[in-house]
Amino acid sequence: MATPMQVYPAYTTFATSHGKVWRASPHGQQAVVMRADAGRPALSRGRYRHVIALVAPNDAVSLDIDVVRQVFGPRANAESDVAGQYEVVLCGEQNGAGELAPLETLVTADTVIVPGVENPLTPRSPALIDALRAAYAAGARMVGFGTGAFLLGQARVLDGRRATTHWKYAREFHDLFPSVHLDGDHSYVDDERVHTGGGMLSGIDLALHLLAMDVGRPRAEAVGRAVIAAPWRGDARSRRDEDREPMATVMAWLREHLHEPLSLAKVAEQSYISERSLVRKFRAATGTTIFDWVNRERIDRAKLLLETTDHPVAEIAAMVGFGSPETLRRNFQRHVGTTARSYRHKFRHAAARADRD
């Protein structure tokens, strides 16, 4: 359970992609040079850990929250030598259950991450927008995953900057924020201390990119190998590459709809090609069938949820599209070699040991 952080004086530091650290105070900002190979994320206010304030609106995309916890949480501790260097604090407007740290947490954080939201065109509360503005003014590194860029746009954090967002909402984003230079060609975009990502798949790329900025690419690659099945793509990949990978768009759509019942006819319909052509092209691009590929993606999603949430196994089965615990059990045993419950217990035990170390 997240707890409110101590409030420190308004002074913070954070890294940029050029090996610099911006130092901000109530009297303005000043850039100072630090070692790019220090192997630690920039710290502020004398803390031991780099604090990431992870904003949690009611309509937050849960996968984005899981990605942040995965990349900067216990798994990173266990799989690389960045152990204990990050603290991820879930924060937002109080929901009465005391599960979220207050919005004031954003102002004292080193990095603020806004996940994608299901309703990007919805105006946000003045309290949330003011907290984002205050965090930006205090010098935090500001990050928006996918449609989370709309919240940064409402807070005027993106004014005059390059940014990207989920391709599906590019036109609406341009109309709402004409002063933002929308870059739709890359998976993620850096503009000094403001970072934005494109669609759902870009969240992992952007999170690992931030980690590489903080602790170096070798350490980030070690985490990337641990938390995602495919090799980390690293630098921002142009969406034009999808023209050379005909099935990339299909795979992206499948990942965004893993939780739904999927049929060959449904996938072919949204791909605007025949079922026969889809089967042939997908196997040529991936070396496997669509549904074997989907099953592996669902298993990876289930592993992520088992590691980062307390959802019951039956709920996770439904969330990843298996429909029943028995279907999850069979597929998990086949691909992972153990049960979902045993996997969760083993991971939690390893994470706890890493924290003690």
Side-chain angles (χ1 to χ4, degrees), residues 107 146 218:
V107 184

Side-chain angles (χ1 to χ4, degrees), residues 213-236:
M213 288 169 53
D214 288 349
V215 301
R217 187 177 179 89
R219 293 180 178 90
E221 287 179 340
V223 174
R225 286 191 294 271
V227 302
I228 59 178
W232 173 37
R233 293 173 292 182
D235 56 354

Side-chain angles (χ1 to χ4, degrees), residues 51-302:
V51 174
I52 296 175
L54 179 55
V55 182
N58 291 335
D59 61 339
V61 174
S62 60
L63 179 61
D64 285 351
I65 291 178
D66 291 338
V67 163
V68 174
R69 287 172 161 173
Q70 186 83 336
V71 170
F72 297 101
R75 190 91 180 246
N77 295 349
E79 299 293 340
S80 73
D81 57 355
V82 298
Q85 295 187 28
Y86 290 93
E87 178 184 359
V88 178
V89 183
L90 201 63
C91 45
E93 297 174 83
Q94 294 305 301
N95 56 9
E99 297 173 351
L100 301 175
L103 288 175
E104 288 80 0
T105 303
L106 276 63
V107 184
T108 61
D110 300 299
T111 294
V112 172
I113 298 180
V114 183
V117 292
E118 300 289 353
N119 306 297
L121 305 182
T122 300
R124 303 293 156 163
S125 71
L128 176 55
I129 297 305
D130 288 347
L132 290 170
R133 286 176 180 164
Y136 177 65
R141 176 169 62 183
M142 306 295 290
V143 183
F145 283 8
T147 51
F150 278 79
L151 277 68
L152 296 183
Q154 289 185 38
R156 309 298 295 273
V157 168
L158 302 178
D159 285 4
R161 294 187 179 276
R162 290 174 57 246
T164 190
T165 189
H166 196 293
W167 59 268
K168 188 186 299 183
Y169 296 97
R171 181 179 297 276
E172 291 87 345
F173 186 90
H174 180 270
D175 291 342
L176 284 171
F177 311 114
S179 66
V180 181
H181 305 294
L182 184 61
D183 185 343
D185 287 334
H186 294 89
S187 176
Y188 55 79
V189 171
D190 296 333
D191 193 324
E192 294 182 341
R193 62 183 173 108
V194 179
H195 310 264
T196 49
M200 184 175 291
L201 298 179
S202 67
I204 295 174
D205 283 343
L206 180 51
L208 290 170
H209 171 62
L210 295 171
L211 185 64
M213 288 169 53
D214 288 349
V215 301
R217 187 177 179 89
R219 293 180 178 90
E221 287 179 340
V223 174
R225 286 191 294 271
V227 302
I228 59 178
W232 173 37
R233 293 173 292 182
D235 56 354
R237 185 182 69 173
S238 170
R239 290 197 183 113
R240 285 187 293 264
D241 288 350
E242 294 181 357
D243 294 337
R244 295 186 289 272
E245 300 177 24
M247 290 295 100
T249 301
V250 175
M251 289 186 282
W253 184 89
L254 286 169
R255 286 192 176 101
E256 292 191 7
H257 294 81
L258 285 178
H259 59 287
E260 301 175 5
L262 296 172
S263 66
L264 185 61
K266 183 175 182 179
V267 180
E269 180 182 4
Q270 74 82 34
S271 305
Y272 300 104
I273 58 178
S274 70
E275 294 181 26
R276 179 176 296 181
S277 294
L278 175 63
V279 169
R280 176 176 54 81
K281 291 181 179 181
F282 197 92
R283 182 178 285 278
T286 67
T288 188
T289 68
I290 290 177
F291 292 105
D292 280 346
W293 185 92
V294 165
N295 276 347
R296 284 197 293 270
E297 288 291 318
R298 284 172 169 166
I299 287 295
D300 287 340
R301 183 76 57 82

Side-chain angles (χ1 to χ4, degrees), residues 9-26:
Y11 184 89
T12 194
T13 60
F14 57 90
T16 76
S17 58
H18 304 294
K20 293 182 179 179
V21 166
W22 283 94
R23 185 166 285 175
S25 74

